[in-house]
Amino acid sequence: EWPLRPGGPFTPPDDTKLSTVIVNLNKAPEHRWDEAITPYKADIVSLIETITDNVNKYVLEVADIAFDLLLQTLPDPYKSEIKGVAKILGLPEGQVVLYNIFYELFTVCTSIIEEDSNGQLYHARNLDFGLFLGWDNANDTWLMSERLRKIVVNVDFQRDGKTAYQSASFLGYVGLLTAVKQPLFTLTINERFNKEGGFVGIYRWILGNRNAKWMGFLTRDVMESANSYSEAKHMLSTQELLAPAYYILGGNSTGEGVIITRGLNGVEDYQELNITSGRWFLLQTNYDPWDEAPFFDDRRTPGNMCVKQWGQENVGYKSLFNVLSTKPNLNKLTVYSTVMTVRGDIQSWLQQCKTPCTPW
């Protein structure tokens, strides 16, 4: 039912809260993921088989060769980390590259930034993934989404025994889609449905354009290098990309929240918090803010209604979780929900929309 009203429950079951793994950045890149991935090996292999099962056998053989060659052109530490992941999984390196690239192409999301009456910023997102990658009739859900729920975790990236940044992520994927660098900024990526989508970027990369960044790698670069909201905003605005995207960035001071609409070569639009004019929240799905959302995938309108129903006086983990748990922002593709701040924990929960529920 939507919109849920203030006073609604904040009752995610304990068994839906994501576990946390540690990635030690002091280790050699090819061994950073060993301890995190090993317990989940069978589930990750099963997931990658779901991807490859949707690819023609001949095409897959060609892809194994092509993506293996593509791997050699990727920048470190990502190249070495992918090699290490492939070794642990016992899979061809090309298939693990394909697995990482899929997140550049098929991610459907909702991201929200809200500021409460005390100037505290909250950043939330639903990660929806698996569209058109096989339907499980027995369980009435997308097969890919079902298998992803088994390998999603919170990742604590540590250096010298201390947290450098944190994320909610799918094991085996070395980029970042949802992350926080405390006490500085929070960041999520939403795919931007655009004619110059990720396939165009991959083609350009193969043809030799190596100046552009993979969107998930850029997010991790920002977590590694930026030491302020303004530095992160600059990096996300100026770096050439392989695919159009929305970067949703939150800071640690009042008004520090922005949706950066990115084309391949630069910024096309900024949507920013403006408390003095009454703009205390931002909500982004997968369509340009200045265009109407299509009737067959309008998560924006009900999402905005839910946020306004709760109101600025109720901003927090409870209200944001309930907004993210309301259809159609919660749908058959939704794998997890995350709520995070620069002064608190990153909290993430598995999500599963029970029938009746929209497919996306």
Side-chain angles (χ1 to χ4, degrees):
E1 306 292 335
W2 68 266
L4 291 176
R5 301 183 184 282
F10 181 57
T11 56
D14 289 341
D15 61 358
T16 65
K17 193 165 186 177
L18 299 193
S19 58
T20 299
V21 301
I22 294 173
V23 171
N24 185 351
L25 296 170
N26 292 113
K27 288 187 175 182
E30 57 269 25
H31 294 296
R32 287 175 180 169
W33 293 92
D34 292 3
E35 293 179 7
I37 282 178
T38 299
Y40 296 86
K41 176 180 175 179
D43 288 326
I44 300 171
V45 170
S46 176
L47 173 65
I48 294 177
E49 287 175 349
T50 301
I51 297 174
T52 58
D53 285 348
N54 281 275
V55 180
N56 177 276
K57 182 179 180 181
Y58 172 75
V59 174
L60 182 60
E61 291 175 356
V62 175
D64 278 347
I65 298 171
F67 285 120
D68 184 63
L69 293 172
L70 188 150
L71 174 62
Q72 309 314 315
T73 70
L74 294 181
D76 270 324
Y78 311 113
K79 176 173 68 176
S80 296
E81 289 186 12
I82 289 174
K83 284 177 173 286
V85 169
K87 185 175 181 180
I88 289 291
L89 297 179
L91 292 174
E93 292 176 351
Q95 289 189 20
V96 179
V97 174
L98 175 63
Y99 169 66
N100 274 261
I101 286 175
F102 256 62
Y103 294 105
E104 303 274 328
L105 304 176
F106 291 100
T107 305
V108 185
C109 317
T110 300
S111 289
I112 307 170
I113 291 180
E114 296 182 355
E115 182 173 327
D116 69 15
S117 55
N118 297 314
Q120 170 89 349
L121 292 162
Y122 290 81
H123 194 153
R125 78 114 89 249
N126 271 357
L127 196 290
D128 305 342
F129 192 89
L131 186 63
F132 304 135
L133 294 176
W135 184 261
D136 182 349
N137 288 313
N139 295 302
D140 196 25
T141 189
W142 295 101
L143 184 59
M144 186 80 163
S145 306
E146 187 175 35
R147 293 189 175 177
L148 280 168
R149 293 185 184 99
K150 298 179 180 179
I151 62 165
V152 60
V153 295
N154 285 332
V155 184
D156 188 356
F157 291 88
Q158 296 187 358
R159 184 175 283 110
D160 301 328
K162 298 179 180 179
T163 297
Y165 48 92
Q166 298 169 286
S167 75
S169 190
F170 302 111
L171 285 168
Y173 177 65
V174 302
L176 297 178
L177 302 174
T178 308
V180 55
K181 186 172 186 176
Q182 296 172 337
L184 303 175
F185 54 84
T186 56
L187 179 58
T188 57
I189 308 173
N190 287 16
E191 183 180 352
R192 184 183 179 198
F193 295 151
N194 187 283
K195 64 182 179 181
E196 292 188 322
F199 290 107
V200 174
I202 293 171
Y203 181 67
R204 289 177 177 174
W205 181 275
I206 291 171
L207 290 180
N209 179 8
R210 306 288 158 70
N211 295 320
K213 288 277 189 180
W214 302 86
M215 65 180 187
F217 294 171
L218 175 57
T219 304
R220 190 158 159 202
D221 287 350
V222 169
M223 288 290 147
E224 285 282 344
S225 302
N227 291 307
S228 69
Y229 171 82
S230 59
E231 286 184 19
K233 184 178 178 182
H234 177 75
M235 289 181 68
L236 296 167
S237 298
T238 56
Q239 174 63 55
E240 185 179 347
L241 291 177
L242 286 169
Y246 305 104
Y247 284 103
I248 300 89
L249 176 68
N252 59 13
S253 299
T254 182
E256 288 189 343
V258 62
I259 299 166
I260 306 172
T261 300
R262 279 298 316 266
L264 300 184
N265 299 311
V267 174
E268 295 186 15
D269 184 65
Y270 290 118
Q271 298 282 320
E272 303 193 67
L273 291 176
N274 190 328
I275 302 304
T276 57
S277 66
R279 194 174 198 184
W280 55 271
F281 77 91
L282 301 169
L283 185 148
Q284 178 62 45
T285 58
N286 301 99
Y287 304 96
D288 290 340
W290 55 89
D291 288 335
E292 289 188 11
F295 71 91
F296 56 83
D297 185 24
D298 185 6
R299 288 164 283 130
R300 181 197 300 163
T301 301
N304 283 333
M305 289 181 65
C306 284
V307 171
K308 292 175 182 177
Q309 183 78 36
W310 280 90
Q312 190 179 16
E313 67 276 12
N314 291 303
V315 168
Y317 285 92
K318 176 180 177 178
S319 63
L320 278 164
F321 178 79
N322 273 325
V323 171
L324 295 175
S325 300
T326 303
K327 304 172 188 177
N329 292 98
L330 177 68
N331 56 72
K332 287 291 186 180
L333 286 171
T334 307
V335 177
Y336 71 81
S337 296
T338 291
V339 185
M340 53 189 173
T341 76
V342 295
R343 296 184 179 89
D345 294 331
I346 178 171
Q347 296 194 30
S348 306
W349 303 269
L350 294 175
Q351 289 275 30
Q352 189 158 12
C353 191
K354 299 186 183 301
T355 304
C357 182
T358 56
W360 55 78

